[in-house]
Structure formats: structure tokens, C-alpha cells
Amino acid sequence: MTRTLWGSTVGKKTVMAVTGLIMLGYLVVHMLGNLKIFFGSDEFNGYAHWLRTLGEPFLHYEWALWIVRVVLLAAVVLHGVSAYQLSRRDIRARPSKYVHKRRRASYATRTMRWGGIILGLFIVWHLLDLTTLTVNENAQPGRPYENVVATFSTPYGNAVYLTAMLALGLHIRHGFWSAAQTLGAGSVRRDRALKTAANGLALVLTVGFISVPVAVMTGVVS
Amino acid sequence: MKLRLRVWRQKNADAPGAMVTYEVDGISRDMSFLEMLDTLNEELILRGEEPVAFDHDCREGICGACSLVINGDAHGPERTTTCQLHMRSFEDGDTIDVEPWRASAFPVVKDLVVDRSAFDRIIQAGGYISVPTGSAPEAHATPVPKADADAAFEHAECIGCGACVAACPNGSAMLFTSAKINHLNVLPQGGPERETRVLDMVAAMDEEGFGGCTLTGECATACPKGIPLPSITTMNREWLRATRKVKR
Ligand code: HEM
Ligand code: SF4
Ligand code: FES
């Protein structure tokens, strides 16, 4: 019988919850870092350079960054694989639908799978755009401020980013509260607090991330 | 009352099924939903047609046998069992859709009857306690704090009807399994198997092909006994605790 972490539905959901929370933690820091763009090119680019020197002299140049990247890659892969496997199982467990349809569950709950796929595609595009600069036409290495402005000066750059951030907000709204239940941290008494925290985190992250393209669009950052 | 029923008819497990429309007249508002179906079946028998097969036993809301999805809701519009649902919850002239529980772990046997023996196998995997044989133990030999007794009782209310599975978009049996596990795990009598119970019952649940939990909450909304959604959280906590403690 399957009593292991990866073999059990409860265990696999635990993997999703832990990797989801790791990514969530990263996103909070990432969003706060992005806000430095409001202090101008020198400060933002300086911050980006500092990230590469983080941990020196104990760590070599860029090592801290690479550690974070490896952890995030592992998290996103584990999260995506368990989401895929659990979803496949869920769909197989309920093959025939009811003839009489009725509305079910909240929007955030119903969009976890599609929202997750949107986030997965966004992560790939985002890396090609601002990390490897492959799809960013006017990009220059080492000048992240100018590259961000370049991205958000294109309509498709804004559209992709805004869609993904709305999807992120919904994903976290259901995801954060869900993760608490999966990890056994929820209770009747704590439910209100957890739901409020989930909504708060979703709102703060979405607004924080979206403020950057909005600032470029309105000319506050240029 | 006069009603139009659309009922799922399926000859056997392998035959394809379909919704069939019937008209029933002379239904009293005080009839239970099952009595209304009895009325339909009497007419069908008189007409020489095959009556509609559906599960029922106690007809007083305690056995968990009755199991109909009525207008898309497991056990219909009220929070009760199908046998305790009365026709006053409907209006004269209504069209009512009646379907069986839907889940691949609950295959249709005939018409509205599904095979719920998967639940029995989950119980067999750990829904028991080890008891010493001999004469009955002294009632106060094992003190149980009031709060624990209440929690155990709340979960013991589960009648194993399967409405939670029927309502869940993933066909998940987490609410049922959590009720059965929590009922015994909070009591000192359940202590000796506390870890193996949760690990084995969750494994049995997975093996039966039920889906996983996405915390949609449809199960707790449908449950006629009010087993709450946080029961699943408690089971998850027990599972993680057992995983840390038990060596495989
Ligand atoms: C690779 C892209 C992603 C995919 C395919 C994906 C997919 C999913 C799916 C299908 C679920 C389960 C939904 C449910 O229970 O109904 C889920 C849950 C979750 N996701 Fe994601 N997601 C992705 C990215 C992210 C990101 C970037 C975060 C970071 C904030 C995140 C955080 C969470 C959390 C915290 C949960 C809750 C876990 C639980 O229910 O215990 N996900 N994800
Ligand atoms: S948890 Fe509720 S809905 Fe599920 S089997 Fe038990 S009584 Fe029925
Ligand atoms: S027939 Fe026993 S609960 Fe409905």
C-alpha cells in the first residue's frame, strides 16, 4: 500500500503545499525588491548588482543567486508535477458529469488548474524576457532598469504580465489557505484569520507587482 | 402536486444509461422523496414497466443507504438525507432531475443504485480498535475528556452515505475517511492504532480510485450529518504526524 509522501494523495498534496509556500515566500521578497524601481535607475541596477554579491566573501560571486535559482527550480518542477498527477487522478475519479448542472465553488478555487498553467507559461516567458533577455529586443545585460522599461513599453509585454499577475492573485487566494489545511495548520478558530491572510497576501502581491508596469505605462518610471 | 421527473435509467453496470422523463400526479406535500418514488414505481409496475431501482433502508436518516442526486445536489436541496427530504421542498409543476452518485469508485449497479463497497474496504483498513476479550470493562476505567468525547461523537455521526464523494468535483472520499479516522483517533481507545489507522485508511482510500482534495468544500455542504470541512485538515495533521513517527 502507498503510505509514502510521494505515493499518497495526502503526501503529494503536502509537496504542493510546501513548494507553493517556498515560491510564495520568494515572491514576497521579489515584489519588494521590484519596488526599488521607483527610486531610479542607479538604485535599481545597484540593487540587482548587490544580489549577485550577496553572501560574499563567504560565497563566491553569484553563488547565492544560483542557490536561490536551484531551490526555485526544484520547487516549481515538484509543484507542477504533483499538480499534474493529482489533477489527472481527480479527473479520472469523476469521469461522468451530472446532467443537472449547478454552480460550484468560488472563482479562485475553480481556476487553480488553468491559473497554474498560465503561471507556468508566464515563468518561462518571464525568464526569457528579463533573465536571459532572449525575447527582449532592446535589452542590455546588466541594465535591468532599462530592460524593465523596455518590456513594459510594449503592449504585449504589459498584457502578458497583467494577466499573469491577476492569475497569481487568484492562485494565492485559494492556495495559501489550502496549504494551511494541507499542512494541518487550519482550524475552525483560525479560519477567518487564514482567509484574511490569504486575501491580504494575494492583494498585496498583485498590486505590488502590477504597480511596476502601471508606472511605466503612465510615465512615472521611464 | 403534479411533477415531471427526469430519472437516470440504466439496466446494469455495463449498459449505457439515459435520463427518462416520467409524469407523477397526486403527490402529497407531506410525502418523503422516496415515497414519491414509490408512487412512481407502483404506477410503473401497473403499466408492466421496470420500476426504478434506488437504495434505501431505514428511511429515518440514520443508515446511510439512500443516495440520490436531486437537481444536481446530493440528497437534494435541504441538508438532510434523501429519505428525510419532503416534497414540500418542491413546488407543484416542478421538473426534478434524479441521478445516481457519480464517481468512478462508486460504479452504477442499476438505475440509481451504486456500489459503495469501496467505503467498506476503507473501514476494513483501519476503522476499528483492538479490544481485550472477556467481560465488559468498567465504564470509568478509561477517562475521556468531555471535549474529546464531543469531537469523537461529532465524527461518529457520519452514516457512510457517500454524499461527500458524490458532491466533490474530484470524487474524493476525504470527508468520509477523515470522519472515520478522527472519530477513533481522538479517543484513548483508538490510541494503539492511531498512526497505522490514518496511514492505512488513507492508503486504502487512494487504492479505491477516489480523487484527492482540492478544498472545494462541496463535501461538507452536502453532508447530511454536518461533518465539517476542517475534519480533513485534522486528518492531514494526523497523517503527517504518523508519517514522522512510523518506520516503514
Ligand atoms: C508552475 C506553475 C504552477 C502550476 C501548474 C500550479 C498548479 C497548482 C494546482 C493545480 C494547485 C492545486 C489546486 C487545488 O488544490 O485546487 C496548486 C496549489 C497551490 N499553488 Fe500552485 N501552481 C503553479 C505555480 C504556483 C506559484 C508560482 C505559487 C507561489 C505563490 C503557487 C502556490 C500554490 C499554493 C500555496 C498552493 C496550495 C497547495 C495546497 O493546496 O496545499 N503555485 N497549484
Ligand atoms: S461524511 Fe457526511 S456525506 Fe460523507 S459519508 Fe459521512 S455522512 Fe455521508
Ligand atoms: S434510508 Fe436510511 S438514511 Fe435514508
Side-chain angles (χ1 to χ4, degrees):
Chain A
M1 287 215 278
T2 44
R3 311 201 310 189
T4 56
L5 204 63
W6 192 250
S8 151
T9 51
V10 174
K12 203 166 278 182
K13 196 77 201 272
T14 307
V15 173
M16 283 197 73
V18 171
T19 52
L21 291 178
I22 291 173
M23 292 189 282
L24 179 61
Y26 167 78
L27 287 180
V28 171
V29 178
H30 185 25
M31 185 274 286
L32 292 174
N34 285 359
L35 296 182
K36 281 196 162 281
I37 202 151
F38 290 100
F39 300 110
S41 172
D42 286 349
E43 183 148 349
F44 191 71
N45 290 349
Y47 166 68
H49 179 74
W50 170 80
L51 283 179
R52 282 151 181 80
T53 63
L54 193 67
E56 280 183 12
F58 180 67
L59 294 175
H60 187 66
Y61 180 75
E62 279 200 349
W63 276 19
L65 202 60
W66 276 104
I67 291 168
V68 172
R69 284 171 177 170
V70 169
V71 170
L72 284 176
L73 184 69
V76 83
V77 169
L78 283 171
H79 193 84
V81 171
S82 30
Y84 173 77
Q85 294 184 350
L86 286 172
S87 299
R88 279 289 303 270
R89 186 191 171 90
D90 295 347
I91 292 164
R92 245 184 293 128
R94 171 56 99 63
S96 38
K97 306 265 171 288
Y98 291 110
V99 174
H100 191 108
K101 301 268 181 304
R102 51 183 280 281
R103 43 134 211 97
R104 287 191 190 280
S106 73
Y107 191 72
T109 311
R110 281 185 281 120
T111 50
M112 287 303 275
R113 289 179 194 151
W114 274 110
I117 291 170
I118 291 176
L119 287 177
L121 293 174
F122 171 75
I123 292 169
V124 174
W125 180 82
H126 189 57
L127 291 175
L128 292 176
D129 181 35
L130 288 169
T131 306
T132 66
L133 311 178
T134 319
V135 297
N136 198 336
E137 280 151 21
N138 311 313
Q140 306 151 307
R143 312 207 52 170
Y145 181 94
E146 288 70 18
N147 299 341
V148 168
V149 173
T151 289
F152 295 132
S153 304
T154 62
Y156 63 86
N158 286 319
V160 168
Y161 196 87
L162 293 181
T163 313
M165 290 311 105
L166 292 178
L168 178 71
L170 287 171
H171 202 80
I172 288 169
R173 184 174 182 201
H174 182 68
F176 179 77
W177 174 83
S178 285
Q181 312 307 317
T182 302
L183 298 175
S187 71
V188 179
R189 235 173 353 98
R190 257 187 244 149
D191 206 53
R192 278 275 292 277
L194 281 170
K195 285 208 164 112
T196 312
N199 290 343
L201 267 171
L203 193 71
V204 167
L205 276 178
T206 308
V207 170
F209 276 123
I210 281 184
S211 68
V212 177
V214 169
V216 176
M217 274 190 266
T218 53
V220 175
V221 167
S222 59
Chain B
M1 295 168 86
K2 192 174 165 178
L3 300 165
R4 216 160 72 97
L5 300 174
R6 297 201 303 160
V7 184
W8 182 262
R9 300 301 310 259
Q10 182 174 339
K11 247 192 164 49
N12 56 51
D14 305 317
M19 298 296 270
V20 178
T21 307
Y22 299 100
E23 308 273 343
V24 279
D25 205 350
I27 300 298
S28 148
R29 290 167 59 79
D30 299 328
M31 278 182 177
S32 75
F33 200 85
L34 297 186
E35 284 168 331
M36 184 275 293
L37 286 181
D38 292 339
T39 312
L40 169 70
N41 275 346
E42 277 169 18
E43 277 179 33
L44 291 180
I45 292 167
L46 286 177
R47 293 212 302 252
E49 290 178 36
E50 181 81 8
V52 179
F54 59 87
D55 259 329
H56 61 107
D57 189 18
C58 71
R59 295 210 176 193
E60 52 188 30
I62 55 169
C63 75
C66 58
S67 48
L68 300 178
V69 170
I70 301 162
N71 284 344
D73 285 318
H75 290 308
E78 315 283 342
R79 181 181 268 229
T80 184
T81 55
T82 301
C83 59
Q84 290 296 298
L85 175 69
H86 289 85
M87 296 315 294
R88 53 178 112 44
S89 301
F90 301 90
E91 297 296 329
D92 188 29
D94 273 0
T95 298
I96 306 175
D97 289 336
V98 191
E99 299 174 70
W101 281 179
R102 292 284 186 206
S104 54
F106 284 168
V108 172
V109 177
K110 183 179 182 181
D111 294 340
L112 302 169
V113 177
V114 298
D115 178 358
R116 282 171 285 181
S117 54
F119 269 11
D120 300 338
R121 291 186 289 274
I122 295 177
I123 295 286
Q124 279 161 17
Y128 52 80
I129 60 168
S130 40
V131 285
T133 54
S135 55
E138 207 278 309
H140 294 297
T142 314
V144 180
K146 174 81 168 95
D148 290 352
D150 287 348
F153 194 78
E154 184 180 25
H155 290 111
E157 277 194 69
C158 166
I159 53 178
C161 62
C164 42
V165 175
C168 176
N170 311 319
S172 170
M174 293 278 279
L175 194 68
F176 164 79
T177 310
S178 72
K180 297 302 171 195
I181 290 170
N182 298 342
H183 162 206
L184 298 177
N185 270 22
V186 352
L187 292 173
Q189 288 87 344
E193 297 93 2
R194 182 170 168 188
E195 290 83 22
T196 51
R197 174 176 303 114
V198 59
L199 293 176
D200 289 343
M201 287 178 78
V202 166
M205 174 186 87
D206 285 348
E207 224 148 85
E208 293 295 337
F210 291 104
C213 181
T214 54
L215 293 148
T216 311
E218 291 287 342
C219 53
T221 309
C223 175
K225 296 297 157 183
I227 305 295
L229 191 60
S231 298
I232 293 179
T233 311
T234 308
M235 176 174 76
N236 290 337
R237 186 160 59 234
E238 287 290 310
W239 192 90
L240 290 169
R241 178 184 170 279
T243 304
R244 287 193 302 271
K245 291 198 113 174
V246 172
K247 300 231 180 346
R248 264 167 237 101

